[in-house]
Amino acid sequence: MNYTEMVVFIIYLLFMLSIGIWFFYKNRQGGEKTYFLGGRQMGPWVTALSAGASDMSAWVLMGLPTSIYALGLGQAWISIGLLTGYSLSWIFQAPRLRRFSIVANDAITIPQYLSNRFLSKSHVLQVICAIVFLIAYTIYSASSIKACGTLFNTVIGIDQTYTMYVAAFIIIGYTFLGGFSAVCWTDFYQGLMILGSLLIAPIFAVSLINPQAVAGIPPDYWNPVAKTSDIISGFGWGLGYFGMPHILLRFMAIEDEKKLVLSRRIASVWVVIAMTASIVIGMVGLGMTRVGALEFLSGSSSETLIVRIASLISQHGVLAAVLAGLILAGILAATMSTADSQMLAAASSVSQNILQEFAHLKLTEKQSLFAARLTIICISVVGVVLARDPDSSVFGIVSFAWAGFGGSFGAVVLCALFWKRCNWQGALAGMLCGGLMVFVWKYIVSPLGGVFGIYELLPAFLVSLAVC
């Protein structure tokens, strides 16, 4: 990394921390509702871009392009499935969840909403939700920390362990201080940076490819319907949106339900551009390998594709180095924008649902916020430990955590919103069976191959729905 890229990087990190400090002082008189849900005062632009940024983690810049690069255009069905699920979630889920969460005793977390929705006197549902949150979000945050380590290691050459510590410290910093408002506003700016990175990288990379190199790529690579399992699995990815707590919280936090229409349009356009650019990065990366501009990448090193493209850009002058710095900052933005949202959602569940509502601890607002902040630190520490596994990949970790959330909560939240006869026993059964099926399908059924090789989220969602 040259000095220009380093300056861009440092400015970006300081800006993120300054947002956390600003909201810490601005909201220091606010209570739990302000810290966990921003007082339900988020505008449509911030709601849309923060939802997109918290959703599109490092995998959209590192994982998905790698999948396209290594496996072909059939992996583009993941993008199509995600766009479909994202749009349906905004259209049908968002308005009801915003409205019903207020009716359900002004719930500020998903477990709290589910418990209030079923008028359940038992707190078992809330506790199970919170435990699943804690486990899944810890795994999810490990993918973000892993991406940071990979990024710094590839660009600067510093040992991944140390760079993961730095990344965890920055994320903890502004999430710990500013809460939901800081998370949403940092995600808003990070969403813009992610989009910039996704647009700059392929535009430059295309200029280095000639038609002959592309012609040499095997025809099967370009066939999106070569495998039926790719199509089924791709649409299965879209089901995850119905059960993603850190995205559902955005629906609950917007200041006015009527503004969800504008937010939906902004968010949908953002996702279309981001997904398309991500696919193009994977394709042009393969083209660059063909012409010798990039060495062939395999295994976990292939997830550094966009980082290596940025390195090539930086060799073409000061302006190019600034653009390369923005790309690298965008990768970091994608990583941090997801980790912060996940940590906050898990922290709110521990503070509200486990300590206060299940354990019946009488916590003051200050003590509740302290417990939440302590949870954020604990998740980060465990996430760093998990991320140190050299054989893990960003895409692999994200896909497993995504399936865990979608399988456990997707069908349950939909039933809670749209089916009057749904009760807390059915919701609990659906949650447990869906989560269990993720493990069963991934480690027992999927290895059989063939028709069983589909993404584990789809069978887990269907089982959860049937049981519920």
Side-chain angles (χ1 to χ4, degrees):
M1 177 181 284
N2 60 39
Y3 289 114
T4 305
E5 295 173 359
M6 185 70 75
V7 169
V8 174
F9 227 59
I10 293 174
I11 291 173
Y12 160 74
L13 292 175
L14 291 176
F15 181 57
M16 293 299 104
L17 279 174
S18 68
I19 292 176
I21 295 171
W22 163 257
F23 279 106
F24 175 74
Y25 284 103
K26 181 182 178 182
N27 297 333
R28 62 184 182 275
Q29 301 301 325
E32 296 171 318
K33 187 175 178 180
T34 300
Y35 187 79
F36 294 133
L37 212 57
R40 297 190 193 269
Q41 295 298 314
M42 295 297 108
W45 279 87
V46 175
T47 300
L49 288 183
S50 68
S54 65
D55 161 36
M56 301 298 170
S57 60
W59 76 272
V60 79
L61 283 161
M62 300 176 73
L64 184 57
T66 296
S67 188
I68 299 293
Y69 173 89
L71 301 176
L73 208 55
Q75 297 299 299
W77 286 103
I78 294 175
S79 298
I80 297 172
L82 287 172
L83 178 60
T84 303
Y86 196 56
S87 300
L88 291 175
S89 180
W90 273 97
I91 293 170
F92 297 107
Q93 226 179 352
R96 284 194 171 224
L97 187 57
R98 171 64 171 76
R99 191 183 320 130
F100 291 179
S101 63
I102 296 174
V103 174
N105 201 24
D106 200 18
I108 61 175
T109 69
I110 296 300
Q112 196 176 65
Y113 162 70
L114 290 175
S115 183
N116 293 348
R117 149 70 174 86
F118 297 122
L119 301 176
S120 172
K121 295 181 180 180
S122 171
H123 294 292
V124 174
L125 185 62
Q126 286 198 42
V127 174
I128 297 298
C129 281
I131 292 173
V132 173
F133 274 25
L134 202 57
I135 295 173
Y137 275 138
T138 301
I139 296 172
Y140 219 139
S141 64
S143 73
S144 300
I145 295 171
K146 172 78 173 181
C148 285
T150 302
L151 170 64
F152 281 104
N153 177 257
T154 304
V155 176
I156 310 176
I158 298 176
D159 186 86
Q160 283 194 33
T161 302
Y162 300 115
T163 56
M164 287 189 294
Y165 293 152
V166 174
F169 174 78
I170 298 292
I171 297 167
I172 290 171
Y174 67 80
T175 308
F176 184 97
L177 293 171
F180 190 82
S181 297
V183 165
C184 283
W185 276 100
T186 52
D187 287 359
F188 170 76
Y189 292 113
Q190 288 174 154
L192 296 176
M193 293 196 68
I194 295 169
L195 201 58
S197 299
L198 286 166
L199 292 176
I200 294 169
I203 289 173
F204 174 84
V206 166
S207 66
L208 298 179
I209 302 175
N210 60 57
Q212 292 181 343
V214 176
I217 298 175
D220 286 347
Y221 177 89
W222 302 107
N223 186 3
V225 294
K227 296 181 179 178
T228 304
S229 60
D230 285 344
I231 302 173
I232 297 173
S233 296
F235 279 102
W237 272 81
L239 295 173
Y241 279 109
F242 301 121
M244 288 299 133
H246 57 284
I247 299 175
L248 298 179
L249 285 175
R250 264 62 177 185
F251 301 157
M252 296 164 61
I254 195 167
E255 60 184 346
D256 186 348
E257 184 184 330
K258 295 178 181 178
K259 294 183 179 180
L260 282 170
V261 176
L262 176 59
S263 285
R264 181 182 74 231
R265 292 169 181 169
I266 297 168
S268 298
V269 170
W270 190 94
V271 170
V272 169
I273 296 173
M275 289 294 185
T276 302
S278 186
I279 292 170
V280 172
I281 289 172
M283 293 190 295
V284 299
L286 183 60
M288 292 175 73
T289 300
R290 291 279 175 171
V291 299
L294 283 176
E295 62 181 274
F296 179 74
L297 304 173
S298 61
S300 60
S301 67
S302 61
E303 292 192 324
T304 64
L305 178 62
I306 190 172
V307 178
R308 295 175 189 269
I309 291 175
S311 179
L312 288 176
I313 294 176
S314 67
Q315 300 171 13
H316 291 73
V318 177
L319 179 60
V322 173
L323 294 177
L326 290 174
I327 292 174
L328 297 175
I331 300 171
L332 192 59
T335 301
M336 293 167 61
S337 62
T338 301
D340 55 21
S341 300
Q342 295 161 349
M343 290 178 185
L344 189 63
S348 65
S349 293
V350 171
S351 173
Q352 295 289 308
N353 308 128
I354 293 181
L355 297 181
Q356 296 189 59
E357 296 173 3
F358 177 72
H360 300 295
L361 296 179
K362 301 296 183 181
L363 301 181
T364 65
E365 287 200 338
K366 184 177 291 187
Q367 291 172 330
S368 175
L369 294 179
F370 175 79
R373 286 168 168 148
L374 184 61
T375 302
I376 290 171
I377 295 175
C378 293
I379 290 174
S380 300
V381 171
V382 177
V384 169
V385 174
L386 294 176
R388 293 178 65 179
D389 179 4
D391 297 323
S392 63
S393 71
V394 174
F395 190 80
I397 297 173
V398 169
S399 66
F400 188 59
W402 184 268
F405 275 123
S408 299
F409 296 107
V412 171
V413 173
L414 285 176
C415 287
L417 291 172
F418 292 95
W419 189 31
K420 293 181 179 180
R421 292 180 60 195
C422 185
N423 53 41
W424 77 266
Q425 293 94 335
L428 179 61
M431 192 184 307
L432 293 174
C433 291
L436 179 62
M437 180 54 66
V438 171
F439 287 89
V440 171
W441 196 275
K442 182 174 179 63
Y443 294 109
I444 298 178
V445 181
S446 185
L448 298 175
V451 70
F452 299 108
I454 61 174
Y455 184 35
E456 57 268 18
L457 172 52
L458 179 58
F461 182 93
L462 293 176
V463 166
S464 176
L465 181 64
V467 171
C468 195

